[in-house]
Amino acid sequence: MLTTLEQLEAIYGLPHDRAVRKQIPFLNQDYQAMVRASPLVIVSSVSPEGMDASPRGDAPGFVRIIDDQTLAIPDRPGNNRIDTLRNLIVDSRVGLLFIIPGIGETLRVNGTATISDDPELLESFAVNGKPARTVILVTVQAAYFHCSKAIVRSDLWNPENYLDRSALPTAGAFHKRLNDGQFDAEAYDREAPIRALNSLY
């Protein structure tokens, strides 16, 4: 097992100069363009109680650029676990991964975050007349684009590789197994599309 940085560096060496130079402490115009184009961001957080990586998605540009060191991410209705928000209350560190359909490069942002319930800010993120529940305000400490190798290796955006939904258990089936069979999976799956539509915002 590897237990020291020296052991790691003996295998991998030092980062390429370009890999170091692409990290900057703010969002330049190129990185801002990636934020505006992204409909999906993975938000990672940590606390003594555990770690979390949760997706946040909406129309491209839903993550608002306040300035070159500040982002605002609306929080919408969900399952009320609020793992990310619980973590941020006790540990403000946050990592973001912006993903853009059809694009190989991703954008990574590290920083600190606070949670706002300012009524005007929540209302400014309203969709269909429904404001955000809260807004995560991220102060950028490091931003850098990630090369496309992982996306290329996975062939992620190739429609020919998309898995048919029937190849995996349905959400209802997940719940049924987790509840020792005491769950109406068929009804849950049948009602899922309208339930999702009515609870997006």
Side-chain angles (χ1 to χ4, degrees), residues 14-24 143-144:
L14 297 176
H16 297 297
D17 182 58
R18 289 191 308 275
V20 174
R21 283 190 286 110
K22 68 183 179 181
Q23 178 176 320
I24 56 178
Y144 50 103

Side-chain angles (χ1 to χ4, degrees), residues 24 27-37 100 107 145:
I24 56 178
L27 297 169
N28 65 13
Q29 64 185 53
D30 298 326
Y31 291 174
Q32 289 187 32
M34 294 186 75
V35 172
R36 292 190 182 98
I100 305 167
L107 178 69
F145 81 92

Side-chain angles (χ1 to χ4, degrees), residues 41-45 52 54-56 62-66 70-76 82-89 91-96 98 111-118 121-122 125 132-139:
V41 61
I42 309 301
V43 181
S44 296
S45 60
D52 184 62
S54 296
R56 298 290 193 279
F62 77 100
V63 175
R64 183 178 300 167
I65 300 169
I66 305 299
T70 312
L71 296 172
I73 307 172
D75 195 71
R76 305 296 184 185
I82 56 173
D83 295 313
T84 300
L85 302 181
R86 291 179 190 278
N87 285 349
L88 293 178
I89 289 292
D91 190 326
S92 64
R93 292 176 296 171
V94 68
L96 310 177
F98 289 91
T112 59
T114 56
I115 306 166
S116 175
D117 66 349
D118 176 78
L121 183 60
L122 302 186
F125 280 99
R133 300 288 296 276
T134 57
V135 173
I136 300 172
L137 296 171
V138 177
T139 299

Side-chain angles (χ1 to χ4, degrees), residues 30-188:
D30 298 326
Y31 291 174
Q32 289 187 32
M34 294 186 75
V35 172
R36 292 190 182 98
S38 175
L40 180 67
V41 61
I42 309 301
V43 181
S44 296
S45 60
V46 64
S47 77
E49 285 70 43
M51 298 170 288
D52 184 62
S54 296
R56 298 290 193 279
D58 217 319
F62 77 100
V63 175
R64 183 178 300 167
I65 300 169
I66 305 299
D67 56 49
D68 66 6
Q69 284 194 294
T70 312
L71 296 172
I73 307 172
D75 195 71
R76 305 296 184 185
N79 58 20
N80 285 339
R81 285 181 56 107
I82 56 173
D83 295 313
T84 300
L85 302 181
R86 291 179 190 278
N87 285 349
L88 293 178
I89 289 292
V90 297
D91 190 326
S92 64
R93 292 176 296 171
V94 68
L96 310 177
L97 178 65
F98 289 91
I99 300 170
I100 305 167
I103 302 298
E105 291 77 18
T106 55
L107 178 69
R108 297 170 65 174
V109 176
N110 296 331
T112 59
T114 56
I115 306 166
S116 175
D117 66 349
D118 176 78
E120 290 187 10
L121 183 60
L122 302 186
E123 188 61 37
S124 73
F125 280 99
V127 175
N128 298 334
K130 298 179 180 179
R133 300 288 296 276
T134 57
V135 173
I136 300 172
L137 296 171
V138 177
T139 299
V140 176
Q141 295 177 333
Y144 50 103
F145 81 92
H146 201 81
C147 76
S148 63
K149 288 180 181 176
I151 303 297
V152 172
R153 291 187 190 110
S154 68
D155 206 14
L156 181 65
W157 304 126
N158 183 354
E160 294 181 4
N161 292 336
Y162 289 178
L163 188 66
D164 190 280
R165 186 63 187 84
S166 63
L168 291 174
T170 65
F174 286 136
H175 283 297
K176 186 172 183 176
R177 187 179 299 276
L178 292 167
N179 287 277
D180 297 322
Q182 305 303 308
F183 187 83
D184 190 342
E186 291 74 18
Y188 185 88

